[in-house]
Amino acid sequence: MIYLDNAATSFPKPSFVKQAVIDAMDNIGSDGRGAHEMTLKASRIVYSTRQNIAKLFNADVMRVCFTLNATMALNTAILGLINENDHIITSVQEHNSVLRPLYKTGADLTFLPIDEKGNVKIDMINQSIKPNTKAVILSHISNVTGNVIDIKRVGQFCKEHNLYFIVDAAQSAGVFDIDMKSMNISVLCFTGHKGLLGVQGTGGLCVAKDIEINPLVVGGSGVHSFSQTHPEDYPTRLEAGTLNAHGLSGLNASVKWLNENGLASLREKETNLARLFYNELCKIPDIKIYGDVLAQNHGAIVSINIADEDAGVVSDALYQNFGICTRAGAHCAPLIHKAFGTDKQGMVRFSFSHQNTEDEIIKTVQAIKQLVN
Amino acid sequence: MIKRNKKEWLIVTFHTTAAAFQMESMAKNMGFEGRIIPVPREISAGCGLAWRDEKDKQDEIKKCLENQNIEYEKLILLTI
């Protein structure tokens, strides 16, 4: 089996992540719900995870709030900050985890278009501003093309125009360096199980100073039981109910490792694999490649089609005939498919990690050659 | 009443349980020897966590909390 679906979830999980989850299941109680040693151990792991996440993103440790995934983080940020009277600037490359909450707010939406290589035209942000523009919401890396947005530049623009800047880092957390403060990010939404190498059911949002998000979920908080309202202080403000401390134990181990190791060497390896794959595919007739794969900054994602064949058929053949795991379809990003004209055909997405090898890339190219012939 | 020796302690309470662990982490680095306890009912009804330490550490702990921007609710002496 060759696993090329790392944009869906990274695989395999590092052994130290698995061990950390097992250790947690063997040793901890419930976070923040008592003062005996079992529960204290759970809370220490959760707090340590906050510290490691805060270090990775240069965030305020007490404003790192954990959720189940990036979708829940994005819903929390969008539904908790935006209402129907607001105007929002976003883009056609967004995932449904951004689009659907935005549609739900009833806000006026402007979608930045893409160029022929799939790059979002961020130069058009300036002309898109209206008197009631409240926020710019963008994914750092497209989950379809792997194209990267210059979020530092957008953040500077948002700072100059006093706009919130909400970043969907589902594909970039743990891959590209993100500095909330120097990039002027208001809310950074991430998942734990992709580039951060943790387990599913972990994610969160880091909230900048002075931004008060109306919570999506309220309930158990471990404090002030007799109050009719949920505590307003971060991180509890956005963390009703028992956290996934077992999962966070794994995330803590992986983010600690990423902080120690740095992201550059891992990113370089997977980017080189994506470029190798791209360059080899360019030699094969009838392959259509989407995205700006050779750009200086690019996520390790390459989406393709073979002539006019249904992407689902190609993906299925790759697995059934060659054991190669890819994802087909629209990838929950409908607007970018409309922009590329692939809403019916879909795309076959190959997403690499630093754990893949050149040998796997060559075998995959050979498999595609066989399918084309 | 259960049988337990009482004495006067320094008690620090917080708005969130996360802040209690921020305190614990700081205390470990600074060499304070207190510990986290359930919030005494004299301070706040309902669940929650507080930091309990020797009462003579009051000034030192207050200074550390402020230096490190750890948000606390109350810092009092209490016999429990």
Side-chain angles (χ1 to χ4, degrees):
Chain A
M1 189 271 284
I2 297 175
Y3 186 81
L4 301 180
D5 199 14
N6 290 282
T9 196
S10 53
F11 179 88
K13 302 302 179 193
S15 58
F16 53 83
V17 171
K18 288 186 272 190
Q19 193 57 51
V21 176
I22 291 168
D23 288 347
M25 288 192 287
D26 282 342
N27 290 298
I28 70 169
S30 168
D31 161 50
R33 304 295 192 266
H36 56 81
E37 192 58 21
M38 290 290 282
T39 177
L40 295 181
K41 281 194 282 191
S43 298
R44 285 176 196 133
I45 286 172
V46 172
Y47 183 69
S48 174
T49 315
R50 286 190 215 286
Q51 288 179 303
N52 280 312
I53 289 283
K55 186 177 177 191
L56 183 65
F57 298 135
N58 194 18
D60 179 346
V61 67
M62 294 303 279
R63 284 175 167 253
V64 175
C65 308
F66 293 116
T67 61
L68 294 176
N69 44 45
T71 295
M72 188 175 169
L74 285 160
N75 270 264
T76 302
I78 292 169
L79 297 172
L81 285 175
I82 293 158
N83 63 55
E84 60 186 359
N85 300 318
D86 298 324
H87 169 247
I88 305 299
I89 300 170
T90 182
S91 85
V92 298
Q93 81 167 12
E94 302 314 310
H95 189 277
N96 272 336
S97 55
V98 168
L99 298 175
R100 287 176 174 162
L102 276 177
Y103 295 141
K104 195 174 175 184
T105 64
D108 177 20
L109 307 176
T110 294
F111 295 96
L112 300 172
I114 53 170
D115 64 18
E116 69 283 356
K117 285 186 172 176
N119 289 310
V120 173
K121 295 182 178 178
I122 58 171
D123 290 340
M124 290 177 67
I125 294 181
N126 195 25
Q127 67 196 69
S128 304
I129 286 198
K130 298 182 182 180
N132 63 334
T133 303
K134 188 183 242 178
V136 175
I137 306 178
L138 293 170
S139 49
H140 189 186
I141 298 182
S142 163
N143 71 311
V144 174
T145 62
N147 288 4
V148 179
I149 283 184
D150 183 351
I151 54 171
K152 187 165 189 180
R153 193 173 146 210
V154 177
Q156 182 60 33
F157 178 86
C158 291
K159 186 178 180 183
E160 287 163 9
H161 292 80
N162 200 25
L163 305 174
Y164 291 142
F165 183 30
I166 301 174
V167 176
D168 171 4
Q171 297 297 340
S172 62
V175 180
F176 279 82
D177 293 310
I178 299 173
D179 183 319
M180 278 195 74
K181 287 168 187 149
S182 75
M183 292 173 167
N184 194 52
I185 296 169
S186 311
V187 188
L188 180 74
C189 301
F190 63 92
T191 187
H193 70 100
K194 296 183 179 180
L196 291 181
L197 307 175
V199 301
Q200 294 167 21
T202 60
L205 61 167
C206 303
V207 184
K209 200 181 165 194
D210 297 329
I211 293 179
E212 306 303 328
I213 297 174
N214 193 23
L216 186 66
V217 183
V218 294
S221 61
V223 288
H224 303 308
S225 289
F226 291 93
S227 168
Q228 290 191 358
T229 56
H230 196 77
E232 291 184 354
D233 296 88
Y234 287 97
T236 309
R237 182 185 181 97
L238 302 181
E239 288 182 347
T242 302
L243 291 173
N244 176 8
H246 298 126
L248 291 174
S249 177
L251 183 65
N252 191 35
S254 60
V255 178
K256 183 169 179 278
W257 183 79
L258 288 168
N259 278 332
E260 286 165 0
N261 189 72
L263 308 182
S265 61
L266 305 174
R267 181 172 66 244
E268 187 181 354
K269 188 176 176 200
E270 61 192 46
T271 302
N272 286 341
L273 292 175
R275 286 178 180 155
L276 170 66
F277 183 64
Y278 175 86
N279 288 328
E280 290 299 313
L281 287 188
C282 286
K283 299 172 189 167
I284 307 173
D286 291 333
I287 303 279
K288 168 82 177 163
I289 307 171
Y290 307 89
D292 197 3
V293 182
L294 299 183
Q296 189 182 358
N297 289 324
H298 189 264
I301 293 172
V302 181
S303 287
I304 71 162
N305 272 314
I306 300 177
D308 59 355
E309 187 61 79
D310 179 346
V313 170
V314 175
S315 180
D316 191 50
L318 282 169
Y319 187 72
Q320 293 300 321
N321 301 355
F322 305 100
I324 298 168
C325 302
T326 63
R327 186 176 166 192
H331 313 282
C332 303
L335 303 183
I336 201 167
H337 285 277
K338 286 182 179 167
F340 277 121
T342 52
D343 38 334
K344 292 259 183 337
Q345 188 177 13
M347 294 181 196
V348 188
R349 181 181 71 184
F350 300 78
S351 48
F352 309 98
S353 92
H354 48 85
Q355 301 186 92
N356 288 122
T357 63
E358 284 192 13
D359 183 54
E360 290 177 320
I361 305 303
I362 297 304
K363 282 180 177 156
T364 303
V365 171
Q366 286 166 348
I368 294 168
K369 280 182 182 167
Q370 286 188 47
L371 289 178
V372 172
N373 294 329
Chain B
M1 295 285 279
I2 62 167
K3 283 184 187 170
R4 206 176 192 194
N5 293 332
K6 292 194 175 189
K7 77 176 227 187
E8 193 175 38
W9 295 98
L10 169 69
I11 305 290
V12 187
T13 62
F14 306 91
H15 296 291
T16 66
T17 56
F21 290 91
Q22 195 178 22
M23 168 76 210
E24 188 189 58
S25 177
M26 183 272 281
K28 197 175 167 190
N29 292 335
M30 304 296 293
F32 295 121
E33 292 176 350
R35 66 179 176 89
I36 286 174
I37 61 165
V39 174
R41 68 175 176 183
E42 291 85 347
I43 302 175
S44 171
C47 54
L49 301 175
W51 182 259
R52 190 193 80 172
D53 216 317
E54 298 295 334
K55 65 178 181 181
D56 61 4
K57 300 283 183 194
Q58 182 169 6
D59 293 343
E60 208 179 337
I61 284 179
K62 189 170 184 226
K63 200 171 163 187
C64 286
L65 286 164
E66 282 159 10
N67 285 345
Q68 304 205 20
N69 290 321
I70 297 175
E71 285 192 31
Y72 61 96
E73 190 177 31
K74 290 174 189 164
L75 189 142
I76 60 168
L77 297 178
L78 188 69
T79 302
I80 53 172

